[in-house]
Amino acid sequence: MTIEDVYALMARAQELPYGEARTVLTEDALRRAEAAGDEVLAFRVRVRLTDAYQFGGEPAKAFATFGRTLAEHDRDPGRFDEPLVLLWQMKAVVSSLTKFPEIPLDRTRAVLDDMERRYRAGGHSLQAVYRRRHIVARHLGDPSADEWFAKWRAAQRDQLSDCEGCDPTGMVAHLADAGRYEEAAEIAAPVLASELSCKEQPQGIQTAMLPVYLRTGRPEAAADAHRRAYRAHRRQVADLGDIADHLEFCALTGNDARGLEIVQRHLGWLDRAPHAHAEMMFAAAAAAVLGRVAASGRDGVTVRRPASGGRPAADVPVAELRAELEARATDLAARFDARNGTPHQGGKVRALLAAEPVFGFVPLAAHHRGPSPAPAPAAPPEEVPDDIASSDDLDALLDIAEARGSGADKRRRAAALRRFDVLAGETGPTPLQRARRLDGRGVERAVAGDLAGAAECWEETARLFGDLGAEGRRQRALGRLGALRVDQGDESGLDQVVAAADHAVAHPGAPGDATAALVRLAIAYLQLERPADAHAALDRIVPDDAPDDAVEVWFLRGQALLLTDRMDEGIAALRRSADLARASQRPEEIAAPAFQLARALSRHQGRPDEATIALLDEAIGAMPEPSPMRAEALSERGASLVALDRPADAVPDLVEAVAEWTAAGLHEYAVRVRVDLAGGYLSTGRPLEAAEVAEEVLQALAEDDPADPSAGHARRRARLILAHAQKEMGEEDGAGTFAALAEDAVKDGEPGAAAHFLEEAAEILTNLDKDAMAAERFGEAADGYAGAGDPQGAVRARRRSAMCLLWSGEPEQAVATMEAARAALEALPDGPPRTWETALVSYDQARILAQTGRPADAEAHASAAVDGFRSLDETGPADQAAALLADIRSALQE
């Protein structure tokens, strides 16, 4: 074990986010430093381990390491010489002491007094001390919190003050608790407008601002802050207490589904909560959300709780889990209150458990919709036309109800049935009239979505008409019943539809009856994917039998022709249907033919155009109310606009389509449209929205479905969109997403794609100064490009790997890797690409050699870079290389 091993481990640890992996590496480095007998090095590693524990979700362990390093410093400050770091760490230790109910308050106060003594002795401002005294008082619910707040706010900031984001975050939290929301907003404004690099910001102040935004009438800002801050908090178990604030936000804003998702994601963290206070607040907030879920009638929902210790994984009903979490939170609150001698923490928990939505529903994204509202009170009956209101003829009323038509005719038919029901209760209808009314009731139930009720009505209707010898009416009822069965997937209903159509053709009744029966038969054949039979049924229609049905007849004919690959004829039929609809007195009938014509033209042409967009505009305009067909048309128009490179125009359609599919309970359709929506958001510079929608897709399509290959395609596309969105937002998770894409590409036999994804992952890591990890990924990408027969990619990735090795403190490896990049140039054919890559290698090789003490070798490479760039007329790169060459020559002359 060498000192170099310790430094190497620490360098690797520094590139990792705070968490278990970083902590394990730092602990290993400490063991090696102690084994090497280097007390000073061990001291410095132990200081870093305190931070790893504190910010990695194990603050209790930080007490021991901090106590030891502080004692070592006090014993020999000249040797163990990081006084400012220790004073900085002392702030976090004081804050953490309040979060464990087993730690007496006297100990916390003693550490606070020691902190103040040390700050005074060092000539530092007491601003940070006043803040810690405020934190302790606020935890206790002590009125002195206001006094300490005033001192903290008035004191001079210095190098030991919390950062310019964290300090105002604490102030905002205090002011929000006190109901001073406008003042809190004023303090936060400049911080939110600035760039913050602290690991706890900007998510810290965004979370603190949630109640401020809500109480000052800015729900959209609250939703945006929740989405942005939670994305950062959700990665760190240390932030469990902050996640509780986001659960509370969900409970207060009607976002029960979002809250349930967060509970499910983090429930396992309770078993390794960073401290008791975070455990208490998360348990209380989660219980509040689960209470809202149960109250909405979804008490049968379960939450998957992972295994822990001797407890197996299990699906726990929300009511049971809520009771368990509520008990956990109240028990912890009682322990805090017993330690503190105040009821403050118990009061906070009780208030949180009783949380009710007080701001209505706050949508978190444009495609989100609130819970379905309670049914509106029944509207008063519409005004009854005079001829119906004055009619006492039951047969005449039934004739009106059975008349065919749409729009105002539907309202007229409904009025006739209401009038019939009133008169029937007074006079008593004949058996035939009762059967006819029951037939109409079946139609009413079918329209209302009560398909079982409709089937029951038509079965009885057919029996009654049969007893009365009304065979035509009997066959019509059986035809309706059969069509209903086919629509529900029961092919046996087809025989009834066929028989009804044959009877109607052989025994013509009222005008239009035969046409209606044949249309019903054609629809059944189309549902059973028998388009040729559907076309044959439509050919049996007598044109003059029901001219008002021509729109639907030509529409169905068009569908049948398209399904038999007679594209030109099918498109012509749909055009005729659309033209007839435009010329009719029923403009709403344009919706179906215009939509299907637009879709057929796009497929036939290979892409949409402005004419298809115009047809979709027409179709959607004819459907003012939400419906599955409207959602489908919106989806089609959105996808068409994306294909026409108009993503900004596409996004509103895709948003509305997702919302309508979801509201209709057709979630499988909504998932696929979400993929297009995520892509639209990414293309319009909205990576946060793109990432969240892509994650919704991946959550819904958790695994590939062998029976549906399109699901796997949707998952891969969503993951790719997510990766690019994460990259745009600078999220380290993007490197992992690209790496997962690379693994999939290898499985699919696409080594070039895998190399590209690895290079993207490396790009993210180097942008985040994770250069050792980036160097490794670039190296893997270079190997992948070489294996895929892409020498230019191999050179580029190898060169970038070398630069990352230099930046990560591995100069000799950088030199060797750059030589490998130069050797890879030999695989490139002569031409501008080779000249360009050679110049880049020369430029970067000169940089590496200059920084590793070899200026003479560096000079030749820099000069070659200048020549190469100039030969390509690349003025900017040539000037950069010339500047590097000048610096190297200047160093040689010194």
Side-chain angles (χ1 to χ4, degrees), residues 117-138:
R117 179 186 64 77
R118 292 174 184 272
Y119 273 55
R120 288 185 184 277
H124 304 293
S125 169
L126 296 183
Q127 196 253 12
V129 176
Y130 294 149
R131 181 180 182 191
R132 268 65 206 173
R133 293 199 182 277
H134 163 79
I135 287 172
V136 173
R138 185 164 169 250

Side-chain angles (χ1 to χ4, degrees), residues 18-30:
Y18 283 108
E20 184 177 1
R22 180 166 178 159
T23 298
V24 167
L25 282 180
T26 310
E27 288 174 334
D28 189 15
L30 178 59

